[in-house]
Amino acid sequence: MSHAMVMTEFGAPDVLEWQEVPAPEPGPGEVVIRVKAAGVGPTDLHIRAGHLAAVFPQRAGDVLGFEAAGVVEAVGIGADAAVGDEVAALLADQGGYGELVRTSVWHPKPPSVSWIDAAALPASAEAAVGTLLQSHAARGETLVVLGAAGSVGSIIVQLARANGVRVVGAARQRDAELVRELGGEFVKHDDNVFDRVARRVDAVIDAAGRGGLTAAVAAVGDPSRVVTLTGGPEVASSGALMSHPGPDRAPGALAVTVPMLAAGTLRLKRRRVVPITEAAQAHRLLESGETHDKLVLTFD
Ligand SMILES: NC(=O)c1ccc[n+]([C@@H]2O[C@H](COP(=O)([O-])OP(=O)(O)OC[C@H]3O[C@@H](n4cnc5c(N)ncnc54)[C@H](OP(=O)(O)O)[C@@H]3O)[C@@H](O)[C@H]2O)c1
């Protein structure tokens, strides 16, 4: 047996309870990881609250968590890993809030990358690489990133800049300097954001989820080059593309971003660490807006 922070039902953060659970077994091509740290994303909060029951299969008794870092404990048939390998993992079936988790998507963690950073990266990196591919943002083009200071948005800004894309980063005024340090031109993110983008806009990625897709499509003139990570009624009415996570969308995302982290050429959103036993408190901190940091749960 093993232990995990189980979502006992849909509801408020205190539905998360530390419980004994069956230890996972690796299937073909999979490994089981003993988790050192697990990232908390906004999607976890929506799944726990029951808002995404039509999108994700997680139900009462399941374990949240799309990303983790840890040590390989068991190796399935055909999996290219060894017991003891230190890895960062993307968890398509979730489960990162558990001591042991099964995954088919992982990348070696270089010693210079901390457990915290390796756990904070995978889901955001996958979303950033995936949406950049969907947007077809090309060298010399202008990409507007809505939510440019966020966990996903900040990675999009840096990867796009590294590919020679001109980036306008929309964020709150307090994040203006951060967006510039990441390589973007800052624009204040409000309802009229596109009125203040002086140049021609070739593509938009929405990593904020505050709406504005109709204006984004109008600014670009082509709905197929507007990609959103958060959905909502404006997706259908504007024709923008919805981005769905999955291991097939951006299989190389960790191979691209983990070495950048190790080399110091990729900066992550500021991290705040909370013990796994206080996962409910981590959710409360995010829901209340008391913190804007990326929360990472640690297993000591
Ligand atoms: N579909 C997928 O494949 C996928 C994968 C990963 C993530 N996601 C989704 O992508 C979104 C971003 O995730 P994340 O982890 O990057 O979250 P995050 O770190 O919280 O980033 C969101 C950013 O948008 C900003 N923002 C939110 N509301 C705003 C407003 N009204 N005005 C100005 N700025 C605003 C936030 O600023 P403050 O922090 O100051 O509020 C933050 O900088 C989430 O909705 C998440 O569920 C989707």
Side-chain angles (χ1 to χ4, degrees), residues 139 155-165 167 182 260 265:
R139 180 173 293 278
I155 297 176
I156 294 171
V157 172
Q158 294 169 87
L159 293 179
R161 292 294 300 127
N163 290 337
V165 177
V167 176
L182 298 176
M260 289 175 75
T265 54

Side-chain angles (χ1 to χ4, degrees), residues 171-178 180 186-189:
R172 296 189 199 269
Q173 190 64 47
R174 68 169 136 74
D175 289 321
E177 199 45 44
L178 170 65
R180 292 187 189 107
F186 169 76
V187 64
K188 188 172 167 222
H189 193 178

